[in-house]
Amino acid sequence: MTGPLEAPKTKTSTVTVVTQTRIAPDMANAFARWQHKISKAVAAQPGFIKETVMPPSPPAQVDWVILQRFASTKAAVAWLRSDERQRLVAEAQPMLVGQDDVHLVDDSESGVLPAPASAVISTRIKPGQENTYRQWERKIAAAQARSPGFQGYRFEPPVPGVQEDWLAILRFDSEANLQTWLNSAERKLLLEEAAVFTEESHARIVRTGFDQWFQLGDAEAPSPPAWKQNMIVLLTLYPVVMLITAWFEHPFLVGQLKMSHWNALFLDNVLSVLVLSVLTPWASRRLGWWLRPADRDLKRDIAGTALVIGLYVLCLIAFWQYETHVWRPW
């Protein structure tokens, strides 16, 4: 962002600074190094809670998306107008394609990022047309709510000196359903209707990874360490893959349908991901005392790690016995 920032009215709830940036293809590595520097800088800011960096995932998401959560609007604005951030943003300008989008989102409302598929839509309204825009916004909100896969909608007015555009965040259950709405004839007609009071508008798509599997109920707490998340995924993945292979792939896909291994393995993986999307959050909630303790506790970390390793061993013994006495695939 450029220009002076005026602090808006202070909110007591947490807020997230959502930055979407498009980088020149040959500057991806340089930008990753720059992002590491700004992540280190923001981590030292008063009121900072958590940062999530989502690199591009073409073709659906071509932007870098950075979410920086703060304890209050005051803390977020202090970071946005800090000299250190301004210096780092100026350093990154040669890497950018166009201007980056920076938005301030109140976390106390529903429909906050992330979601399986989301779009952040920025709209700049002609002066004096705010009431007309709000009436139109209610029409498009009703229309998109009828679209298949719709999960939620956020609408944020401008924040003087921080966010000059009106901001809408759409959440859908899949990229396909999100694209269906974005490309729909109904939406195009509504956008044509809004052209008379709109200066500019653009949408950027956001994709997310597996963090949604590890939401433990405390939005302000940091995510569990990656090594703990990986241990939980392995704990749930191994028995799921073994059981699907033994009970579904060999007897049905290969045995009855006579599928080749490469084809059957693909279907196995599809079913495994579907099962893990339910099983991994379930396991995460039950191991929340270890994944995200209220404070760092070495004994608790060791106990949780030992428990998960013990469950690994039990799984290995159980499937060894099962393969030896019941199922002989080889």
Side-chain angles (χ1 to χ4, degrees), residues 32-175:
R33 292 191 294 270
W34 174 88
Q35 179 58 46
H36 178 74
K37 291 196 293 184
I38 204 165
S39 296
K40 185 177 180 181
V42 71
Q45 295 297 307
F48 173 77
I49 296 174
K50 173 186 175 183
E51 181 182 65
T52 301
V53 178
M54 292 179 277
S57 182
Q61 178 185 318
V62 295
D63 302 322
W64 286 75
V65 180
I66 299 98
L67 311 178
Q68 296 168 331
R69 178 172 291 165
F70 288 84
S72 66
T73 299
K74 181 179 179 181
V77 171
W79 160 245
L80 288 173
R81 66 183 181 185
S82 66
D83 292 340
E84 185 170 17
R85 180 182 178 277
Q86 297 301 322
R87 176 183 61 80
L88 288 168
V89 167
E91 183 182 318
Q93 289 303 311
M95 310 179 201
L96 306 186
V97 176
Q99 293 295 316
D100 56 354
D101 284 352
V102 181
H103 303 294
L104 201 61
V105 179
D106 183 359
D107 296 341
S108 66
E109 303 293 335
S110 60
V112 195
L113 293 174
S118 303
V120 179
I121 302 174
S122 301
T123 305
R124 185 156 299 183
I125 303 303
K126 294 179 181 179
Q129 296 295 316
E130 289 78 12
N131 289 337
T132 304
Y133 176 72
R134 291 302 298 261
Q135 294 174 6
W136 173 88
E137 180 269 331
R138 286 191 285 270
K139 291 170 60 177
I140 198 170
Q144 66 200 13
R146 297 189 297 267
S147 189
F150 177 80
Q151 288 193 340
Y153 175 57
R154 284 288 303 277
F155 184 66
E156 296 279 346
V159 178
V162 177
Q163 173 183 307
E164 301 302 330
D165 298 338
W166 295 74
L167 178 67
I169 301 175
L170 311 183
R171 301 169 63 247
F172 280 78
D173 63 354
S174 69
E175 292 172 15

